[in-house]
Amino acid sequence: MTAGKSSQKKYDVVLYGASGFVGRQTVDYFAKHAEVKSSNLTWALAGRSADKLEAVRKASGAKQAGIVVAEAHDAAAMDALARNTKVVLSTAGPFALYGSELVAACVRHGTHYVDITGETPWVRGMIDLHHADAQRKGARIIPFCGFDSIPSDLSAHLANGAMLERYGEACVTTKVAFSIRGGFNGGTLASLFNMLASGQSEAMADPFLLNPSGTRPENASSAHADPLGPRRDADFGAWLGPFMMSTINTRVVRRSAALLGYAQGYAYQEYLRLGKGPVAALAATSLSVGAFTSQAALRLSPIRKLAQKFAPPPGAGPSEASMDSGSFRALWVGHSASGKTVRGMIADKGDPGNRATTKMLCESALALALQLDELPGGRKHGGLLTPASGLGDVLVQRLRAAGMTLQIDPAKP
């Protein structure tokens, strides 16, 4: 595969926020990626400080990468950046503070865009402002291309595809149980604190926040409500508790369900898997209580300010050894209306919020740069999309080739 060149586009991919914690990891990923070298793909590092960008380029050995200096609130600079590239990959959060001008510029110039935001209220605003224009321009604007929310979105995508291929039926429910080992970086926590400080808790609590207009169920059942308490689940044979990312991921999957036409009334949920036995039951109960109380506490300004003092600052995160030792596993189960079942798993080594996120984000950008004609909807498809609706099976294949496990279990006789 080779990147198609355009006389109007200097670069195939620009990595915006390249001097940040996750941004530096994306530069390393591109610099070491064999396909980037073999495809003659042109790429650049972008951000507000030329000195910092040059230091990152030197540290990664990416001599072939260009440098673009552009400040997030400078509309003219964002226009120039978007006009001169086919794909923008952004790690510059909080996105509600630093992402809006860049998204608007990408839409204006028909430039594809991916990021790692988990800021659902901000994305709702981007949908309202730009979805129709992005459709007309054929620009794929795809947020949530990190740990939130690719494993969730692709689990539902794989479940629905397997059910249809295997049994000729649709999934009516899919659920995912996560096991994770890893830490947070300062940028992720800064985004969370900004959402809470800006009074977006009510919007974040809406199960259908990201749904297209006209697709919100009139009588939403309890199947769509965010899980609060512990549960013993027969499908997973384990105790489950609330998963901290579920209020982001479930909204993304529900948008995918609407955009891709999953079964009417389709229900998706996800949990944290705690294990079996009485110790796991106690852990699930403790987690449920702790999650509820911590969320309530963080809505209070004094508590939130105290938490920020102890959190790593933007640009900082776990050590290299800590990130290398992390991992995640997402077990998924899909059911049809007639009782058919499909199962599978998405898993990878490395800290999910950093190592795995970097892989998912970079492969998403490379799918747009190198395989546009193979993506769902064809070359001219656009809009404010999700990973499943905008990248689909191409991303599944790319992540498998990059070493991530995306598995569909064989049918039981």
Side-chain angles (χ1 to χ4, degrees):
M1 293 175 290
T2 58
K5 300 298 175 186
S6 168
S7 60
Q8 298 178 345
K9 302 285 187 178
K10 183 176 181 179
Y11 299 111
D12 293 306
V13 184
V14 169
L15 314 182
Y16 189 69
S19 62
F21 188 77
V22 178
R24 295 193 297 271
Q25 295 179 64
T26 66
V27 177
D28 286 342
Y29 194 94
F30 265 63
K32 297 172 183 176
H33 203 292
E35 190 178 14
V36 171
K37 299 174 182 177
S38 66
S39 65
N40 296 318
L41 181 140
T42 57
W43 58 290
L45 288 57
R48 62 184 179 182
S49 169
D51 290 342
K52 289 183 178 179
L53 294 171
E54 181 58 51
V56 172
R57 179 168 68 174
K58 184 177 180 180
S60 69
K63 296 180 180 179
Q64 74 277 28
I67 286 181
V68 177
V69 178
E71 204 279 325
H73 299 108
D74 185 338
M78 294 295 99
D79 261 330
L81 188 159
R83 184 171 57 247
N84 285 300
T85 187
K86 292 166 60 179
V87 180
V88 169
L89 174 161
S90 179
T91 56
F95 290 85
L97 298 180
Y98 303 114
S100 298
E101 289 285 359
L102 180 53
V103 169
C106 286
V107 173
R108 281 194 293 272
H109 294 284
T111 298
H112 308 301
Y113 168 96
V114 294
D115 69 28
I116 54 170
T117 191
E119 300 163 56
T120 49
W122 174 71
V123 174
R124 177 69 259 176
M126 294 297 98
I127 292 168
D128 294 339
L129 287 172
H130 300 302
H131 178 65
D133 286 342
Q135 283 183 309
R136 285 192 289 271
K137 294 289 183 67
R140 294 176 193 248
I141 309 298
I142 312 177
F144 309 112
C145 287
F147 185 59
D148 46 329
S149 300
I150 279 178
S152 304
D153 210 23
L154 292 188
S155 290
H157 173 72
L158 290 172
N160 278 274
M163 185 70 76
L164 184 62
E165 181 179 351
R166 192 170 289 174
Y167 301 111
E169 301 181 27
C171 282
V172 293
T173 65
T174 305
K175 53 188 175 182
V176 177
F178 279 89
S179 302
I180 60 172
R181 185 170 66 181
F184 293 101
N185 62 61
T188 297
L189 293 173
S191 295
L192 171 63
F193 291 138
N194 181 67
M195 283 193 292
L196 294 171
S198 57
Q200 297 176 339
S201 299
E202 184 175 347
M204 292 165 62
D206 181 358
F208 303 98
L209 176 63
L210 300 179
N211 271 48
S213 59
T215 64
R216 178 188 295 266
E218 293 183 6
N219 299 305
S221 70
S222 60
H224 303 293
D226 294 324
L228 297 176
R231 59 178 287 169
R232 177 70 167 76
D233 190 278
D235 280 321
F236 297 113
W239 281 93
L240 309 177
F243 180 46
M244 58 185 174
M245 308 306 298
S246 67
T247 55
I248 300 168
N249 298 334
T250 54
R251 281 61 168 164
V252 175
V253 174
R254 289 174 192 137
R255 180 167 179 81
S256 291
L259 293 174
L260 293 171
Y262 293 175
Q264 187 172 3
Y266 174 78
Y268 173 84
Q269 285 292 4
E270 60 185 38
Y271 310 88
L272 188 66
R273 187 180 188 277
L274 279 308
K276 304 176 181 180
V279 174
L282 180 61
T285 302
S286 300
L287 176 68
S288 300
V289 173
F292 177 80
T293 55
S294 62
Q295 288 176 22
L298 285 172
R299 292 189 179 99
L300 302 175
S301 179
I303 301 296
R304 189 168 57 251
K305 289 179 180 179
L306 180 63
Q308 285 178 281
K309 289 183 179 180
F310 292 96
S319 67
E320 292 290 319
S322 176
M323 289 190 290
D324 288 342
S325 66
S327 63
F328 82 89
R329 183 177 66 169
L331 300 174
W332 55 260
V333 178
H335 294 291
S336 71
S338 70
K340 300 292 192 305
T341 300
V342 291
R343 296 175 177 271
M345 175 178 71
I346 298 180
D348 204 8
K349 297 178 181 178
D351 181 288
N354 293 285
R355 289 285 191 261
T357 282
T358 298
K359 181 184 295 185
M360 290 183 270
L361 177 64
C362 290
E363 292 298 339
S364 296
L366 290 169
L368 288 165
L370 299 172
Q371 295 176 265
L372 187 61
D373 289 330
E374 302 169 47
L375 297 178
R379 173 172 286 270
K380 295 184 179 181
H381 184 55
L384 265 288
L385 305 174
T386 59
S389 63
L391 301 168
D393 287 333
V394 169
L395 182 57
V396 171
Q397 294 160 6
R398 293 195 67 89
L399 291 175
R400 282 175 176 155
M404 188 174 292
T405 298
L406 293 98
Q407 171 183 313
I408 301 172
D409 292 351
K412 292 184 179 180

